[in-house]
Amino acid sequence: MELDSILLNRKEKKLLKKIIFLSNRADHGLASTDLIKQQSEYDKYYFSQLRDFGLIGTHHLPEPNEKTHWRPENGTYVTDKGRHYKDWHWEHLRIFIYKSVMTPIVITLLTNLVLYLLEKHLK
């Protein structure tokens, strides 16, 4: 799913922020899913929504293949889309404001200028 079609509500944003925080503190970028479930921001529905949007992912290994590449079982990681969602959101908001606010203001100013010049020229 593309970022253009993803709009998170307040609770999903808080949960994503918490998962990013926990995954940054964890080894290998994998936060324990059990630890995430203990957080006050956790809600099964919002967790599933973030996973369905592709902002987070889960990693399950029944047993480690090699001791040197061991990762915690039942871990949650943040994808690149999840890490950069906030940047994308602010850029999208800036474009929206430009289109919705600045464009009508500029058009109004230009229209008034043209009308003023026409009125002045016709006198």
Side-chain angles (χ1 to χ4, degrees), residues 36-66:
I36 293 170
K37 288 179 180 179
Q38 295 172 1
Q39 304 303 313
S40 61
E41 296 88 358
Y42 177 79
D43 185 286
K44 187 176 182 179
Y45 173 76
Y46 297 129
F47 185 82
S48 297
Q49 284 291 101
L50 292 176
R51 191 176 53 221
D52 292 344
F53 289 151
L55 301 175
I56 63 171
T58 54
H59 189 69
H60 301 279
L61 282 178
E63 57 187 57
N65 294 335
E66 297 179 18

Side-chain angles (χ1 to χ4, degrees), residues 99-115:
K99 287 180 179 179
S100 299
V101 177
M102 295 305 294
T103 302
I105 290 172
V106 170
I107 289 173
T108 302
L109 290 174
L110 288 175
T111 304
N112 285 332
L113 179 64
V114 168
L115 289 174

Side-chain angles (χ1 to χ4, degrees), residues 15-29:
L15 180 58
L16 178 61
K17 184 177 177 182
K18 188 64 160 188
I19 292 171
I20 289 172
F21 173 76
L22 292 173
S23 68
N24 285 341
R25 293 188 58 184
D27 294 335
H28 307 291

